[in-house]
Amino acid sequence: MKFKTMLLSLAVVGMLFASCDDSKKKEAEAKAEAEKMEMEAKMAAEKAEEEAKMAKMEMEKNSIASIAMGNENFSTLVTALKTADLAQTFMEEGEYTVFAPTNDAFAKVPQATLDNLMKPENKEQLQNLLKYHVVSGEWKADAVVKAIQENNNKYNVTTLQGENLVLSLKGDKVIVKDAKGGTATVVMADVDASNGVIHAIDKVVMPKS
């Protein structure tokens, strides 16, 4: 009887040890699985971050500002954007339509006026001038022409500066009329960018203020 009791006790102890070992094994497996999931989540987050970074770099490389920087006909415009701290704005996400004055267009502005605009104390004025050349949204040439034709050859667009430009057609050319009555002609249309489109114009348009 004592022998049977001892065997039973040993069996119970063995079961307890086995149960303990099984519990530790399951705990270790659960910990390993949690660490694996954590590592996979971390790797997925890092991959997503890298992909987002690459996408941003690709977008910036083909942005309005970058395209302008790569075109020698817009070097004066690029200088003005940098001086006004707006270059980065037009590298970022968004949809813009830029009526971009060429170097020849800026050459028609009196040099003294340009020099004055480039001064640090006139930064806000320069920003307003540049924003007057930008419309929110992407307006390709065919959409611009259609809007003009549907509005009796006179289509108003509101610029980022807040004032309007009036678009019209003269023959097959798009004419841009500013707040002071001056006009510019689109000389190159549909320069596509990752954050909008550029239409080159032959004159700097001027807001009222």
Side-chain angles (χ1 to χ4, degrees):
M1 189 72 176
K2 287 183 179 179
F3 181 70
K4 285 183 178 180
T5 303
M6 188 168 64
L7 285 177
L8 184 60
S9 298
L10 287 172
V12 171
V13 171
M15 287 175 64
L16 288 172
F17 274 116
S19 176
C20 184
D21 287 344
D22 189 48
S23 177
K24 286 183 178 179
K25 184 180 177 182
K26 286 182 178 179
E27 187 180 333
E29 287 175 351
K31 185 179 179 183
E33 184 64 24
E35 288 176 347
K36 181 184 176 184
M37 289 176 66
E38 185 180 351
M39 180 61 71
E40 287 175 349
K42 184 179 179 182
M43 288 174 67
E46 287 175 350
K47 184 181 179 183
E49 186 180 350
E50 186 63 28
E51 287 176 350
K53 196 180 293 182
M54 293 296 289
K56 184 180 179 183
M57 286 174 64
E58 187 65 24
M59 189 276 294
E60 289 183 349
K61 187 174 73 174
N62 296 303
S63 67
I64 288 168
S66 294
I67 288 171
M69 289 175 188
N71 189 321
E72 60 183 14
N73 292 314
F74 295 125
S75 60
T76 306
L77 173 61
V78 170
T79 298
L81 286 170
K82 288 179 177 178
T83 302
D85 287 336
L86 289 175
Q88 186 59 40
T89 299
F90 295 111
M91 278 189 180
E92 295 170 355
E93 289 185 27
E95 283 194 347
Y96 305 103
T97 297
V98 180
F99 294 98
T102 62
N103 291 347
D104 289 341
F106 275 106
K108 295 173 185 176
V109 178
Q111 190 60 46
T113 301
L114 271 182
D115 290 343
N116 192 51
L117 282 169
M118 296 291 187
K119 291 178 180 178
E121 60 267 28
N122 294 324
K123 182 177 173 180
E124 186 176 346
Q125 189 178 347
L126 179 60
Q127 287 178 338
N128 284 336
L129 174 64
L130 295 172
K131 287 179 180 178
Y132 189 56
H133 290 76
V134 184
V135 176
S136 182
E138 185 178 75
W139 287 81
K140 293 289 185 68
D142 57 350
V144 171
V145 170
K146 184 181 179 183
I148 293 169
Q149 291 173 335
E150 291 177 349
N151 287 274
N152 298 316
N153 201 36
K154 188 177 180 182
Y155 186 63
N156 291 324
V157 291
T158 303
T159 68
L160 294 189
Q161 181 262 358
E163 295 181 34
N164 289 347
L165 290 170
V166 182
L167 309 180
S168 62
L169 285 171
K170 188 175 182 180
D172 61 350
K173 298 289 186 182
V174 173
I175 307 300
V176 183
K177 185 177 180 181
D178 65 25
K180 293 185 176 181
T183 59
T185 301
V186 174
V187 292
M188 180 173 60
D190 287 351
V191 180
D192 201 25
S194 59
N195 56 349
V197 65
I198 300 170
H199 303 303
I201 56 177
D202 65 354
K203 190 177 177 183
V204 176
V205 288
M206 297 289 184
K208 278 185 180 178
S209 54

